[in-house]
Amino acid sequence: VISLFGALAVGRMSIVAPVSAALSASLPAIYDLATGTSLSPLTIAGITLALVAIVIVSIAPDEQLHEPAHEYRPRRALGLAMLSGVGFSGAFIAFSFTAAESGLTPVLAARVVSIVVSVVLAFRFGRGFPVDRTALAPTLGAGLTDVLANITMLTAIRLGPLAIASVLGSLFPVVVVTLARVFLGERLHAWQKVGVAIAVVAVLLS
């Protein structure tokens, strides 16, 4: 989550989200395959496309086509997006080991660990927790919806195969790309559009 927020802070939502989602969808599917779960040819094709999308987005020319109110570092954003995708994959796989009898305890445990890690990193490498009152309401809203997303994701993982749950849970780039275009006016170069489109297709196929 820290990597994803860091990527969003220095990059474009319309690139960060598909890259993160492509990895968070494909890696659990690979894990399922390695542990004996059979995957369809479409899923394997989706995994391959996810890797292709990451390569295209990483080598495509990138210029600042709008004026964001924050530092713009596309390469760092791409690296953080990939790291966040790996992290989400690990979380999905870890959740798959929890028993249904544990209820929402895994989500609570994950939140406790997140808080501890965030506090340590904030005071060790950051500036603590400076408060911006204008960001308080959106931040609380983000926290609430994130917890709800984790609860529904945990339920989905318990109900069906991990590969399917992780893929359907990684469809969020469709919404993110649309919102980034509407509210931020983000525009992409032709090759970046191709990479983002492939990443979305990869999520659908995986």
Side-chain angles (χ1 to χ4, degrees):
V1 172
I2 292 174
S3 297
L4 178 62
F5 288 170
L8 292 173
V10 297
R12 297 183 187 178
M13 293 173 62
S14 49
I15 292 179
V16 169
V19 169
S20 177
L23 283 175
S24 63
S26 60
L27 293 184
I30 293 175
Y31 172 81
D32 255 10
L33 180 63
T35 54
T37 302
S38 59
L39 300 179
S40 68
L42 283 179
T43 300
I44 297 176
I47 294 171
T48 303
L49 284 178
L51 299 176
V52 172
I54 293 172
V55 172
I56 290 178
V57 171
S58 64
I59 65 176
D62 194 6
E63 297 176 1
Q64 189 169 335
L65 299 183
H66 63 296
E67 297 295 334
H70 56 70
E71 183 183 10
Y72 185 60
R73 301 179 64 179
R75 297 305 176 191
R76 180 176 181 179
L78 180 63
L80 289 173
M82 295 174 65
L83 182 60
S84 71
V86 173
F88 287 133
S89 299
F92 294 161
I93 294 172
F95 277 145
S96 71
F97 285 102
T98 64
E101 293 76 15
S102 62
L104 298 180
T105 301
V107 174
L108 176 60
R111 280 288 161 254
V112 171
V113 173
S114 297
I115 291 173
V116 172
V117 172
S118 298
V119 169
V120 171
L121 292 178
F123 286 103
R124 177 63 179 84
F125 300 103
R127 296 174 297 173
F129 294 93
V131 178
D132 183 348
R133 294 185 181 276
T134 61
L136 184 59
T139 301
L140 292 176
L144 176 61
T145 52
D146 183 55
V147 170
L148 293 176
N150 276 274
I151 292 174
T152 54
M153 189 66 196
L154 176 62
T155 304
I157 289 174
R158 288 172 174 172
L159 290 176
L162 173 62
I164 295 177
S166 64
V167 168
L168 295 181
S170 299
L171 287 174
F172 68 89
V174 177
V175 178
V176 172
V177 171
T178 302
L179 294 178
R181 184 70 181 91
V182 173
F183 291 101
L184 299 180
E186 289 191 355
R187 294 180 293 153
L188 304 176
H189 284 286
W191 276 109
Q192 290 175 325
K193 292 179 180 178
V194 171
V196 169
I198 292 177
V200 173
V201 172
V203 172
L204 294 174
L205 291 179
S206 296

